[in-house]
Short mmCIF file of all heavy atoms in Angstrom, two decimals:
data_model
loop_
_atom_site.label_atom_id
_atom_site.label_comp_id
_atom_site.label_asym_id
_atom_site.label_seq_id
_atom_site.Cartn_x
_atom_site.Cartn_y
_atom_site.Cartn_z
N ALA W 27 -74.21 148.24 57.14
CA ALA W 27 -73.95 147.12 56.24
C ALA W 27 -72.58 147.23 55.57
O ALA W 27 -71.97 146.23 55.22
CB ALA W 27 -75.05 147.04 55.17
N GLU W 28 -72.08 148.47 55.43
CA GLU W 28 -70.76 148.71 54.83
C GLU W 28 -69.63 148.53 55.84
O GLU W 28 -68.46 148.66 55.50
CB GLU W 28 -70.70 150.12 54.23
CG GLU W 28 -71.63 150.34 53.06
CD GLU W 28 -71.18 149.62 51.81
OE1 GLU W 28 -69.96 149.44 51.62
OE2 GLU W 28 -72.05 149.22 51.02
N GLY W 29 -69.98 148.30 57.11
CA GLY W 29 -68.95 148.00 58.10
C GLY W 29 -68.79 148.98 59.23
O GLY W 29 -67.97 148.77 60.12
N LEU W 30 -69.54 150.08 59.24
CA LEU W 30 -69.45 150.99 60.37
C LEU W 30 -70.13 150.38 61.60
O LEU W 30 -71.12 149.65 61.47
CB LEU W 30 -70.11 152.33 60.04
CG LEU W 30 -69.43 153.15 58.93
CD1 LEU W 30 -70.27 154.37 58.59
CD2 LEU W 30 -68.05 153.59 59.37
N ALA W 31 -69.62 150.69 62.76
CA ALA W 31 -70.22 150.20 64.00
C ALA W 31 -71.55 150.91 64.23
O ALA W 31 -71.63 152.14 64.18
CB ALA W 31 -69.28 150.44 65.17
N ALA W 32 -72.59 150.14 64.51
CA ALA W 32 -73.92 150.72 64.69
C ALA W 32 -73.93 151.80 65.76
O ALA W 32 -74.63 152.82 65.63
CB ALA W 32 -74.92 149.62 65.03
N ALA W 33 -73.15 151.62 66.82
CA ALA W 33 -73.11 152.59 67.91
C ALA W 33 -72.51 153.93 67.48
O ALA W 33 -72.73 154.94 68.13
CB ALA W 33 -72.32 152.02 69.09
N ASP W 34 -71.77 153.91 66.36
CA ASP W 34 -71.12 155.13 65.88
C ASP W 34 -71.92 155.86 64.80
O ASP W 34 -71.42 156.80 64.18
CB ASP W 34 -69.73 154.81 65.31
CG ASP W 34 -68.76 154.36 66.39
OD1 ASP W 34 -68.99 154.69 67.57
OD2 ASP W 34 -67.77 153.68 66.04
N VAL W 35 -73.16 155.42 64.55
CA VAL W 35 -73.96 156.01 63.49
C VAL W 35 -75.33 156.44 64.02
O VAL W 35 -76.33 155.75 63.84
CB VAL W 35 -74.14 155.05 62.29
CG1 VAL W 35 -74.80 155.78 61.11
CG2 VAL W 35 -72.82 154.45 61.85
N PRO W 36 -75.39 157.60 64.69
CA PRO W 36 -76.69 158.09 65.12
C PRO W 36 -77.49 158.63 63.93
O PRO W 36 -76.92 158.97 62.89
CB PRO W 36 -76.34 159.23 66.08
CG PRO W 36 -75.01 159.70 65.61
CD PRO W 36 -74.29 158.48 65.07
N VAL W 37 -78.79 158.69 64.09
CA VAL W 37 -79.66 159.23 63.03
C VAL W 37 -80.19 160.58 63.48
O VAL W 37 -80.79 160.71 64.55
CB VAL W 37 -80.85 158.28 62.75
CG1 VAL W 37 -81.81 158.92 61.74
CG2 VAL W 37 -80.35 156.94 62.24
N ILE W 38 -79.94 161.59 62.68
CA ILE W 38 -80.52 162.92 62.88
C ILE W 38 -81.17 163.29 61.55
O ILE W 38 -80.48 163.68 60.61
CB ILE W 38 -79.46 163.97 63.28
CG1 ILE W 38 -78.75 163.56 64.58
CG2 ILE W 38 -80.13 165.35 63.45
CD1 ILE W 38 -77.62 164.49 64.99
N PRO W 39 -82.49 163.10 61.44
CA PRO W 39 -83.14 163.35 60.16
C PRO W 39 -83.02 164.81 59.72
O PRO W 39 -82.97 165.72 60.55
CB PRO W 39 -84.61 163.01 60.43
CG PRO W 39 -84.60 162.16 61.66
CD PRO W 39 -83.42 162.63 62.45
N SER W 40 -82.97 164.99 58.41
CA SER W 40 -83.01 166.34 57.85
C SER W 40 -84.34 166.98 58.23
O SER W 40 -85.32 166.29 58.52
CB SER W 40 -82.90 166.29 56.33
OG SER W 40 -81.67 165.75 55.93
N ALA W 41 -84.37 168.30 58.22
CA ALA W 41 -85.60 169.02 58.57
C ALA W 41 -85.65 170.30 57.76
O ALA W 41 -84.64 170.75 57.21
CB ALA W 41 -85.63 169.34 60.06
N VAL W 42 -86.84 170.87 57.68
CA VAL W 42 -87.02 172.16 57.02
C VAL W 42 -87.82 173.07 57.94
O VAL W 42 -88.56 172.60 58.81
CB VAL W 42 -87.73 172.04 55.66
CG1 VAL W 42 -86.93 171.20 54.70
CG2 VAL W 42 -89.13 171.48 55.81
N GLU W 43 -87.67 174.35 57.74
CA GLU W 43 -88.45 175.35 58.48
C GLU W 43 -89.79 175.48 57.78
O GLU W 43 -89.88 176.07 56.70
CB GLU W 43 -87.70 176.68 58.51
CG GLU W 43 -88.38 177.76 59.31
CD GLU W 43 -88.49 177.43 60.79
OE1 GLU W 43 -87.49 176.97 61.38
OE2 GLU W 43 -89.59 177.63 61.35
N ALA W 44 -90.83 174.92 58.37
CA ALA W 44 -92.13 174.84 57.70
C ALA W 44 -92.68 176.21 57.29
O ALA W 44 -93.19 176.37 56.18
CB ALA W 44 -93.13 174.12 58.58
N ASP W 45 -92.56 177.20 58.15
CA ASP W 45 -93.13 178.51 57.83
C ASP W 45 -92.50 179.12 56.58
O ASP W 45 -93.15 179.89 55.87
CB ASP W 45 -92.97 179.47 59.01
CG ASP W 45 -93.87 179.11 60.17
OD1 ASP W 45 -94.84 178.35 59.96
OD2 ASP W 45 -93.62 179.58 61.30
N ALA W 46 -91.26 178.79 56.30
CA ALA W 46 -90.57 179.34 55.14
C ALA W 46 -91.14 178.83 53.83
O ALA W 46 -90.88 179.39 52.77
CB ALA W 46 -89.07 179.02 55.22
N TRP W 47 -91.93 177.76 53.87
CA TRP W 47 -92.46 177.15 52.66
C TRP W 47 -93.92 177.51 52.38
O TRP W 47 -94.52 177.00 51.45
CB TRP W 47 -92.24 175.64 52.69
CG TRP W 47 -90.81 175.37 52.42
CD1 TRP W 47 -89.80 175.28 53.34
CD2 TRP W 47 -90.20 175.24 51.15
NE1 TRP W 47 -88.60 175.09 52.71
CE2 TRP W 47 -88.81 175.05 51.37
CE3 TRP W 47 -90.67 175.24 49.84
CZ2 TRP W 47 -87.92 174.89 50.32
CZ3 TRP W 47 -89.77 175.07 48.80
CH2 TRP W 47 -88.41 174.90 49.04
N ARG W 48 -94.47 178.41 53.16
CA ARG W 48 -95.81 178.90 52.84
C ARG W 48 -95.70 179.77 51.59
O ARG W 48 -94.88 180.68 51.54
CB ARG W 48 -96.38 179.72 53.99
CG ARG W 48 -96.69 178.87 55.19
CD ARG W 48 -97.41 179.65 56.25
NE ARG W 48 -97.67 178.80 57.39
CZ ARG W 48 -97.67 179.20 58.64
NH1 ARG W 48 -97.45 180.47 58.92
NH2 ARG W 48 -97.92 178.36 59.60
N PRO W 49 -96.53 179.52 50.57
CA PRO W 49 -96.36 180.28 49.32
C PRO W 49 -96.64 181.76 49.48
O PRO W 49 -97.59 182.16 50.14
CB PRO W 49 -97.36 179.63 48.36
CG PRO W 49 -98.32 178.90 49.23
CD PRO W 49 -97.61 178.54 50.50
N ALA W 50 -95.78 182.57 48.87
CA ALA W 50 -95.98 184.02 48.85
C ALA W 50 -96.76 184.43 47.60
O ALA W 50 -97.41 185.46 47.59
CB ALA W 50 -94.63 184.73 48.88
N TRP W 51 -96.68 183.60 46.56
CA TRP W 51 -97.40 183.90 45.33
C TRP W 51 -98.87 183.51 45.47
O TRP W 51 -99.21 182.58 46.20
CB TRP W 51 -96.82 183.11 44.17
CG TRP W 51 -95.48 183.53 43.69
CD1 TRP W 51 -94.57 184.31 44.35
CD2 TRP W 51 -94.88 183.15 42.46
NE1 TRP W 51 -93.44 184.44 43.59
CE2 TRP W 51 -93.59 183.74 42.43
CE3 TRP W 51 -95.28 182.36 41.40
CZ2 TRP W 51 -92.73 183.56 41.35
CZ3 TRP W 51 -94.42 182.19 40.33
CH2 TRP W 51 -93.16 182.79 40.31
N SER W 52 -99.71 184.17 44.72
CA SER W 52 -101.11 183.75 44.63
C SER W 52 -101.19 182.62 43.61
O SER W 52 -100.32 182.48 42.74
CB SER W 52 -101.98 184.91 44.16
OG SER W 52 -101.71 185.21 42.80
N PRO W 53 -102.24 181.80 43.69
CA PRO W 53 -102.41 180.76 42.66
C PRO W 53 -102.45 181.34 41.25
O PRO W 53 -101.89 180.75 40.31
CB PRO W 53 -103.73 180.11 43.05
CG PRO W 53 -103.82 180.30 44.53
CD PRO W 53 -103.23 181.67 44.77
N ALA W 54 -103.08 182.49 41.08
CA ALA W 54 -103.15 183.11 39.75
C ALA W 54 -101.76 183.51 39.27
O ALA W 54 -101.42 183.34 38.09
CB ALA W 54 -104.08 184.32 39.79
N GLN W 55 -100.95 184.07 40.15
CA GLN W 55 -99.59 184.47 39.79
C GLN W 55 -98.77 183.24 39.38
O GLN W 55 -98.02 183.29 38.39
CB GLN W 55 -98.95 185.17 40.99
CG GLN W 55 -97.56 185.72 40.73
CD GLN W 55 -96.99 186.42 41.97
OE1 GLN W 55 -97.61 186.46 43.04
NE2 GLN W 55 -95.80 186.97 41.83
N PHE W 56 -98.91 182.16 40.11
CA PHE W 56 -98.21 180.91 39.80
C PHE W 56 -98.60 180.41 38.41
O PHE W 56 -97.75 180.09 37.57
CB PHE W 56 -98.53 179.87 40.87
CG PHE W 56 -98.09 178.47 40.56
CD1 PHE W 56 -96.75 178.13 40.53
CD2 PHE W 56 -99.04 177.48 40.31
CE1 PHE W 56 -96.35 176.83 40.26
CE2 PHE W 56 -98.65 176.18 40.04
CZ PHE W 56 -97.31 175.85 40.01
N ARG W 57 -99.88 180.36 38.14
CA ARG W 57 -100.36 179.83 36.86
C ARG W 57 -99.93 180.72 35.70
O ARG W 57 -99.55 180.23 34.64
CB ARG W 57 -101.86 179.63 36.91
CG ARG W 57 -102.23 178.46 37.82
CD ARG W 57 -103.72 178.32 38.07
NE ARG W 57 -103.97 177.23 38.99
CZ ARG W 57 -103.97 175.95 38.65
NH1 ARG W 57 -103.77 175.60 37.40
NH2 ARG W 57 -104.21 175.02 39.56
N THR W 58 -99.97 182.03 35.91
CA THR W 58 -99.54 182.95 34.86
C THR W 58 -98.05 182.79 34.57
O THR W 58 -97.63 182.74 33.41
CB THR W 58 -99.85 184.41 35.26
OG1 THR W 58 -101.26 184.55 35.42
CG2 THR W 58 -99.34 185.38 34.23
N ALA W 59 -97.25 182.68 35.62
CA ALA W 59 -95.79 182.59 35.46
C ALA W 59 -95.38 181.36 34.65
O ALA W 59 -94.39 181.40 33.91
CB ALA W 59 -95.12 182.57 36.83
N PHE W 60 -96.12 180.26 34.79
CA PHE W 60 -95.73 179.02 34.12
C PHE W 60 -96.68 178.65 32.97
O PHE W 60 -96.60 177.54 32.45
CB PHE W 60 -95.61 177.89 35.14
CG PHE W 60 -94.50 178.14 36.11
CD1 PHE W 60 -94.77 178.57 37.40
CD2 PHE W 60 -93.18 177.99 35.72
CE1 PHE W 60 -93.74 178.84 38.29
CE2 PHE W 60 -92.14 178.24 36.61
CZ PHE W 60 -92.42 178.67 37.89
N GLY W 61 -97.55 179.59 32.59
CA GLY W 61 -98.43 179.36 31.45
C GLY W 61 -99.40 178.21 31.66
O GLY W 61 -99.67 177.44 30.73
N LEU W 62 -99.93 178.08 32.86
CA LEU W 62 -100.83 176.97 33.20
C LEU W 62 -102.28 177.43 33.13
O LEU W 62 -102.61 178.50 33.64
CB LEU W 62 -100.52 176.46 34.61
CG LEU W 62 -99.08 175.98 34.82
CD1 LEU W 62 -98.79 175.80 36.30
CD2 LEU W 62 -98.84 174.68 34.05
N PRO W 63 -103.17 176.63 32.55
CA PRO W 63 -104.58 176.99 32.53
C PRO W 63 -105.12 177.15 33.94
O PRO W 63 -104.68 176.48 34.89
CB PRO W 63 -105.25 175.80 31.84
CG PRO W 63 -104.15 175.15 31.06
CD PRO W 63 -102.90 175.37 31.85
N GLU W 64 -106.09 178.01 34.08
CA GLU W 64 -106.62 178.37 35.40
C GLU W 64 -107.11 177.17 36.20
O GLU W 64 -106.87 177.07 37.40
CB GLU W 64 -107.75 179.38 35.24
CG GLU W 64 -108.31 179.89 36.56
CD GLU W 64 -109.39 180.93 36.35
OE1 GLU W 64 -109.40 181.60 35.30
OE2 GLU W 64 -110.23 181.06 37.25
N ALA W 65 -107.81 176.25 35.57
CA ALA W 65 -108.42 175.14 36.31
C ALA W 65 -107.62 173.84 36.24
O ALA W 65 -108.07 172.82 36.75
CB ALA W 65 -109.84 174.91 35.80
N ALA W 66 -106.47 173.86 35.61
CA ALA W 66 -105.71 172.62 35.43
C ALA W 66 -105.09 172.15 36.73
O ALA W 66 -104.43 172.93 37.43
CB ALA W 66 -104.62 172.83 34.39
N PRO W 67 -105.26 170.87 37.08
CA PRO W 67 -104.52 170.33 38.22
C PRO W 67 -103.03 170.32 37.90
O PRO W 67 -102.64 169.93 36.79
CB PRO W 67 -105.05 168.91 38.36
CG PRO W 67 -106.32 168.87 37.56
CD PRO W 67 -106.16 169.89 36.48
N VAL W 68 -102.20 170.75 38.84
CA VAL W 68 -100.76 170.87 38.59
C VAL W 68 -99.98 169.91 39.47
O VAL W 68 -100.08 169.94 40.70
CB VAL W 68 -100.28 172.32 38.84
CG1 VAL W 68 -98.77 172.42 38.60
CG2 VAL W 68 -101.04 173.30 37.95
N VAL W 69 -99.19 169.07 38.80
CA VAL W 69 -98.28 168.14 39.47
C VAL W 69 -96.88 168.72 39.31
O VAL W 69 -96.46 169.04 38.19
CB VAL W 69 -98.34 166.74 38.83
CG1 VAL W 69 -97.31 165.81 39.45
CG2 VAL W 69 -99.75 166.17 38.96
N ALA W 70 -96.15 168.85 40.41
CA ALA W 70 -94.77 169.35 40.36
C ALA W 70 -93.81 168.21 40.67
O ALA W 70 -94.12 167.32 41.47
CB ALA W 70 -94.57 170.48 41.37
N CYS W 71 -92.68 168.25 40.01
CA CYS W 71 -91.58 167.33 40.32
C CYS W 71 -90.36 168.22 40.55
O CYS W 71 -90.01 169.03 39.69
CB CYS W 71 -91.34 166.37 39.17
SG CYS W 71 -89.99 165.20 39.49
#
């Protein structure tokens, strides 16, 4: 839309290494570190 030729703009989506995002911390360690109650649902931003 800004004027580049469509043929000159391929799409290569960003990606992440999924295995690297498996948590190493236990849920208890996470809750303790951030002062979260044991049973509280946690929303992250």
Side-chain angles (χ1 to χ4, degrees):
E28 295 288 329
L30 294 173
D34 292 338
V35 189
V37 175
I38 302 176
S40 297
V42 298
E43 183 64 45
D45 289 342
W47 285 89
R48 291 187 181 146
W51 289 17
S52 70
Q55 184 180 2
F56 169 69
R57 289 172 183 280
T58 298
F60 295 103
L62 302 167
E64 184 178 335
V68 179
V69 175
C71 180

